[in-house]
Amino acid sequence: MTLIHLFVLVPILSALLIPFIGKWFPKLHLGWAALFVPVLLFVCFCTAIPKVAAGGPVFGSVSWSQALDLAFSVHLDGLSLIFTLLITGIGSLVVLYSIFYLSKERESLSHFYAYLLLFMGAMLGVVLSDNMIMLYIFWELTSISSFLLIAFWFRRKKSRYGAQKSFLITVGGGLFMLVGFIMLHVITGTNSIQEIITMGDSIREHALFVPALVLILIGAFTKSAQFPFHIWLPDAMEAPTPVSAYLHSATMVKAGLFLVARFTPIFGGEAVWFWLVSGIGMFTMFWGSFSAVRQKDLKALLAYSTISQLGLIMFLFGMGSAALQGGASTESVIYTKAIFAALFHLVNHSTFKGALFMVVGIVDHEVGTRDIRKLGGLLPFMPVTFTLAVISSFSMAGLPPFNGFLSKEMFFTASLQAGSMNIFSMDTWGPLFPIIAWTGSVFTFVYSMFIVFRTFLGPYRRERLEKTPHEAPLGMLISPIVLCAIIVTLFFVPNGLSHYLLAPAVHSILPSYQGMEGLIPHISAWHGFNPELLMTAGVVVIGALLARMYRAWQDVYELFPASRSLDRGYQWLLTGSEIGSKKVTNLYMTGFLRHYLYYIYGFLIFLTGGTLLFSGGLSLRFSHDVPAAPYEMLLVLIMAAAGVGILFTKSRMTAALLNGILGYSIAIFFVLFRAPDLALTQLVVETVTTVLFLLCFYHLPEWPKEDRSFKVRVPKILISIGMGTLTVLLALSVQGNKLFDSISSYFEDSYDLAGGRNIVNAILGDFRAFDTMLEVVVLFIAGVGVYTLVKLKIPKGADDHERK
């Protein structure tokens, strides 16, 4: 096990310790204890920058199951290093911010920080895993932990709904992704991503290659909120603001982008990959920015702006994948710059969007509302927050002197290149890309201005606010100040980031271009008067006019009513599935035990009997059977008489005694067949159960008169005859088909193998130890569940929704 393995496990293990720390130090705000973890990891990952920048990735693997090709394999290269620094760096700032945002007295901090650290460890596992199955495990762990974080304020109905919605969509996409991984394993025979990358074009002709591509992209699109799976992200804004700043700006929503980048060396150059990634990314960018303008809640606005920015980055990754069409060449180097721009904007987005979420959280925390219609005139009361909002919003709008301007110019460059491409039929559809890119950027400028001007400028409406506005405490301002400082710094000195982080990441995504000249562009703020600069100027002019005249054109949104939205379609599907499943359930859940037994035994008869009949397994051979002794026949007749007698008895007591006769007769058979240990066990069990039956039945009334109607008795007779016949045929077929040697000879050596003289005990305690242990674990989990339900107390002030 390497240090990288420990880096993944430290947050998860710390999450387990957080509740105990809260009990040991009740006066301590748990945020301070949790802060140590991401800060330590950030420093550790920073020490790996020189080695990775020099082209030395870090590998490590711990075998799990060689037969299934499962291993906890980690791979720290340029791409994963960027993500680990974002996960731990932004994570450190978010934890610091949360210390001042969340009250120690009112919030369950042990749960919050346990969930947050669990999510951090899961994200590190996603970006560092080289084994596809391990990547999937951590992938779904991010969905589980994000569900817990979004539903942190679980007494709010909207929080529960948002958590459920994000969980269903992202986990559903993850299942599609898992099937894609399995297909890749079928194609390549390995679960190692790096090994698959080295196989190159040899796997592209396989029939499962394109289906695997599509399924993996579905997983990426659901996680990164790409159209039409973007609908979960706005509802996830019900989470506490620190959660939104972490999950929905720098980490969880970036997992899909990471997946696309990691698998670009495998699928890049394929037309299906190019069109799905770039096309859906571009449309998501436009739709997200267009939808953000109409939002009245600041966090909802940021949610749609995040969707838009993620689409922008996704488009750039799609454009860059064209560099692999036909193999690496000097003519295709131009497309690699889109990959570079995607990585640069990914970093920039994490800085300005993280800062914006924190700014909105400050406004909500200090003013009591996020409704833009109630805000305005806050500049005199919150000058520092206003400054932070200007820096982060203008960076998102792509204005100088902020880092967003640099990557937005690269985005325009990539969109213009798309318009002149002559591959993948782009000569027909390519010209639409710069138009859509520019239009989406105009709307981005509009909503960025709304954040600043509608919140901090304009008339002050004290009567609409829940609190008297005032500046946030210094502790809450530190994190957004650090992010805004990075925003400004990266504008003036971006090439340090380019050399040490972006360039190694590009080499990880495009290994075939390693060492090729012109792969890594030099970042500068001024390129002269070019089409990109003209596009930016047009964005500012048209965007300013649209923002100023919003009331004159806002009716255009009535063309897209909520009743016809994708969100309403999701709600209809969810409600319809619940109603449909309830109707189907009511058809067979009749409340009669006999009906449930019909289903179980009927299914068993048709499935097992059909298999036995049509597979040729039915074979009755009596030539080698030992003749039955008279006393054995007598014992069989006694058992048959007892079994038939149970059917006609009218007393529970008599039925229990007859049932005991059956059990004791089986014990006698064990004695006759020379199995005294089984006979003793059967005698003990039968005695205890018979006594318990008698004790319980003594206090119960007589059996009610049985329904002997024709429609009740006939199914019972058919099921009974069918099960009896099936059991006899199975037993005789097994006796007549000896395909393999008996394994009993192996267990006869139980003393030497397991140190046990009793073969049955050795089988249960040693040979089947894991099976027995898991059975005990199941009983333990059931006991914990029962105990939790018994101890669960609902607060007296809980409303009906809370009780549900």
Side-chain angles (χ1 to χ4, degrees):
M1 181 174 289
T2 65
L3 282 176
I4 307 299
H5 290 97
L6 294 178
F7 293 162
V8 176
L9 296 177
V10 163
I12 298 175
L13 296 176
S14 301
L16 300 176
L17 290 176
I18 282 292
F20 297 100
I21 296 175
K23 289 186 176 181
W24 295 335
F25 305 97
K27 295 184 179 180
L28 175 70
H29 193 294
L30 283 176
W32 295 112
L35 180 61
F36 175 76
V37 176
V39 170
L40 175 64
L41 292 175
F42 180 75
V43 173
C44 292
F45 283 119
C46 283
T47 60
I49 292 177
K51 181 178 180 180
V52 174
V58 180
F59 292 93
S61 181
V62 176
S63 179
W64 182 4
S65 173
Q66 293 183 354
L68 299 176
D69 193 22
L70 296 179
F72 186 9
S73 302
V74 293
H75 178 227
L76 180 63
D77 59 358
L79 177 63
S80 54
L81 182 59
I82 284 183
F83 280 89
T84 56
L85 292 174
L86 290 176
I87 293 166
T88 54
I90 301 294
S92 300
L93 296 176
V94 166
V95 173
L96 177 62
Y97 176 83
S98 69
I99 294 173
F100 301 92
Y101 187 89
L102 297 174
S103 170
K104 184 167 70 71
E105 290 74 22
R106 296 193 302 269
E107 308 291 356
S108 179
L109 297 183
S110 60
H111 290 86
F112 179 83
Y113 289 110
Y115 301 156
L116 193 69
L117 291 176
L118 178 63
F119 175 83
M120 185 181 298
M123 276 300 305
L124 289 174
V126 167
V127 301
L128 291 171
S129 292
D130 181 55
N131 187 282
M132 290 189 294
I133 302 303
M134 288 303 301
L135 190 155
Y136 169 74
I137 291 173
F138 284 116
W139 182 278
E140 297 297 33
L141 188 56
T142 62
S143 296
I144 295 171
S145 51
S146 68
F147 170 83
L148 296 171
L149 286 167
I150 296 169
F152 179 68
W153 286 328
F154 61 90
R155 299 195 185 283
R156 300 179 180 180
K157 185 177 180 180
K158 289 184 177 181
S159 295
R160 298 195 301 271
Y161 175 77
Q164 179 201 51
K165 190 174 186 178
S166 66
F167 185 80
L168 290 177
I169 293 177
T170 57
V171 169
L175 293 175
F176 280 99
M177 183 187 73
L178 175 61
V179 177
F181 286 168
I182 295 173
M183 287 182 176
L184 266 187
H185 183 269
V186 171
I187 297 171
T188 62
T190 180
N191 280 323
S192 172
I193 299 173
Q194 297 305 311
E195 290 182 12
I196 296 174
I197 291 175
T198 60
M199 296 181 183
D201 295 336
S202 61
I203 64 175
R204 292 179 180 266
E205 299 303 321
H206 198 283
L208 294 178
F209 184 76
V210 172
L213 179 158
V214 174
L215 292 171
I216 290 173
L217 279 183
I218 290 176
F221 290 162
T222 54
K223 205 73 160 185
S224 285
Q226 297 298 288
F227 188 92
F229 308 109
H230 65 285
I231 56 176
W232 67 267
L233 188 56
D235 290 289
M237 293 298 109
E238 292 298 324
T241 297
V243 174
S244 300
Y246 190 43
L247 273 65
H248 306 136
S249 69
T251 52
M252 179 179 173
V253 293
K254 300 288 174 62
L257 298 175
F258 168 82
L259 191 72
V260 169
R262 179 59 82 199
F263 281 86
T264 291
I266 300 173
F267 297 113
E270 193 74 21
V272 178
W273 179 271
F274 173 84
W275 277 108
L276 286 177
V277 177
S278 60
I280 291 179
M282 178 59 78
F283 185 79
T284 302
M285 181 265 177
F286 164 77
W287 185 254
S289 61
F290 177 73
S291 301
V293 175
R294 71 187 300 182
Q295 304 305 313
K296 302 299 185 289
D297 182 286
L298 282 175
K299 283 188 73 174
L301 188 154
L302 291 183
Y304 280 101
S305 74
T306 300
I307 293 170
S308 175
Q309 298 295 313
L310 293 173
L312 185 156
I313 301 171
M314 191 70 75
F315 160 75
L316 290 172
F317 277 129
M319 277 294 301
S321 70
L324 297 174
Q325 200 272 338
S329 63
T330 54
E331 293 79 10
S332 300
V333 169
I334 187 174
Y335 302 130
T336 66
K337 293 179 172 56
I339 296 286
F340 182 88
L343 294 168
F344 189 28
H345 196 71
L346 185 145
V347 174
N348 292 341
H349 175 259
S350 298
T351 57
F352 63 67
K353 189 54 64 66
L356 275 172
F357 270 113
M358 293 179 185
V359 166
V360 170
I362 289 172
V363 172
D364 188 22
H365 193 272
E366 306 304 333
V367 179
T369 183
R370 304 190 304 260
D371 193 330
I372 297 179
R373 294 167 297 185
K374 298 179 181 180
L375 296 172
L378 299 181
L379 172 58
F381 306 95
M382 310 174 75
V384 177
T385 305
F386 166 75
T387 304
L388 299 174
V390 168
I391 294 174
S392 50
S393 295
F394 284 18
S395 178
M396 181 166 63
L399 300 178
F402 310 110
N403 59 355
F405 170 77
L406 302 177
S407 52
K408 183 63 73 68
E409 293 289 288
M410 293 182 178
F411 166 62
F412 283 151
T413 300
S415 65
L416 290 171
Q417 290 173 354
S420 58
M421 291 175 65
N422 57 4
I423 58 175
F424 302 139
S425 302
M426 284 293 288
D427 51 346
T428 301
W429 300 101
L432 291 176
F433 279 70
I435 297 173
I436 299 173
W438 183 82
T439 306
S441 298
V442 169
F443 288 115
T444 299
F445 182 89
V446 172
Y447 66 69
S448 298
M449 297 305 104
F450 283 177
I451 295 174
V452 175
F453 291 97
R454 291 194 173 190
T455 304
F456 295 95
L457 302 177
Y460 170 60
R461 308 177 181 91
R462 175 62 186 87
E463 69 282 358
R464 299 186 180 184
L465 305 180
E466 298 180 11
K467 301 178 183 179
T468 301
H470 58 85
E471 190 60 86
L474 178 61
M476 198 179 293
L477 292 169
I478 292 175
S479 295
I481 287 175
V482 171
L483 290 172
C484 287
I486 295 173
I487 289 172
V488 177
T489 302
L490 285 179
F491 176 80
F492 292 102
V493 285
N495 289 291
L497 175 73
S498 171
H499 175 72
Y500 287 103
L501 291 179
L502 301 182
V506 172
H507 294 149
S508 300
I509 300 173
L510 302 172
S512 57
Y513 279 85
Q514 189 85 22
M516 188 170 290
E517 187 176 351
L519 182 63
I520 308 301
H522 179 78
I523 305 175
S524 60
W526 177 252
H527 298 281
F529 292 98
N530 54 22
E532 292 87 340
L533 184 62
L534 294 177
M535 292 175 74
T536 299
V539 165
V540 173
V541 173
I542 302 301
L545 289 174
L546 290 179
R548 181 70 177 176
M549 303 172 60
Y550 175 68
R551 296 183 183 277
W553 61 272
Q554 64 178 344
D555 291 343
V556 70
Y557 288 103
E558 294 181 1
L559 299 174
F560 308 94
S563 59
R564 298 179 183 177
S565 64
L566 285 171
D567 194 71
R568 185 61 59 88
Y570 163 84
Q571 187 62 43
W572 176 85
L573 181 63
L574 189 66
T575 304
S577 62
E578 291 177 353
I579 295 174
S581 60
K582 185 176 181 180
K583 289 181 178 179
V584 173
T585 302
N586 290 336
L587 289 176
Y588 65 86
M589 295 297 290
T590 61
F592 292 100
L593 180 60
R594 64 172 182 269
H595 290 166
Y596 307 148
L597 295 177
Y598 293 165
Y599 308 147
I600 296 172
Y601 291 131
F603 180 80
L604 183 62
I605 291 170
F606 282 106
L607 182 65
T608 309
T611 303
L612 191 65
L613 183 63
F614 294 105
S615 65
L618 182 61
S619 178
L620 306 179
R621 300 174 184 176
F622 305 105
S623 57
H624 299 290
D625 291 350
V626 178
Y631 55 85
E632 292 176 342
M633 295 299 296
L634 177 62
L635 195 57
V636 170
L637 291 175
I638 292 173
M639 293 179 67
V644 173
I646 293 176
L647 299 177
F648 297 97
T649 184
K650 298 180 180 180
S651 169
R652 287 192 175 95
M653 191 77 70
T654 305
L657 292 174
L658 291 173
N659 188 66
I661 291 175
L662 288 172
Y664 288 120
S665 299
I666 293 174
I668 296 174
F669 267 119
F670 286 148
V671 173
L672 296 176
F673 295 151
R674 300 176 182 178
D677 50 350
L678 293 178
L680 180 61
T681 303
Q682 178 69 19
L683 286 171
V684 172
V685 171
E686 195 61 41
T687 301
V688 172
T689 54
T690 301
V691 170
L692 289 176
F693 273 137
L694 294 174
L695 289 175
C696 294
F697 288 172
Y698 178 79
H699 298 283
L700 293 175
E702 290 294 321
W703 270 348
K705 187 176 181 180
E706 186 180 358
D707 184 359
R708 296 183 177 273
S709 61
F710 180 80
K711 67 177 182 180
V712 172
R713 297 181 67 182
V714 169
K716 288 183 177 181
I717 293 172
L718 294 176
I719 290 293
S720 300
I721 294 174
M723 279 303 302
T725 304
L726 177 64
T727 304
V728 171
L729 291 177
L730 274 175
L732 294 176
S733 297
V734 170
Q735 182 68 20
N737 290 274
K738 191 174 182 180
L739 303 178
F740 306 100
D741 294 333
S742 174
I743 63 172
S744 59
S745 58
Y746 174 79
F747 293 113
E748 287 176 358
D749 201 17
S750 62
Y751 181 76
D752 294 332
L753 294 172
R757 297 185 183 277
N758 187 302
I759 295 178
V760 175
N761 291 344
I763 291 174
L764 293 174
D766 291 279
F767 297 109
R768 292 179 62 246
F770 279 111
D771 190 21
T772 305
M773 182 190 72
L774 292 175
E775 291 173 357
V776 174
V777 170
V778 169
L779 291 174
F780 173 76
I781 293 173
V784 171
V786 172
Y787 177 81
T788 303
L789 290 174
V790 171
K791 291 293 184 180
L792 184 64
K793 295 182 179 179
I794 299 178
K796 294 181 179 180
D799 57 22
D800 292 337
H801 292 297
E802 293 171 356
R803 293 179 183 275
K804 293 180 181 178

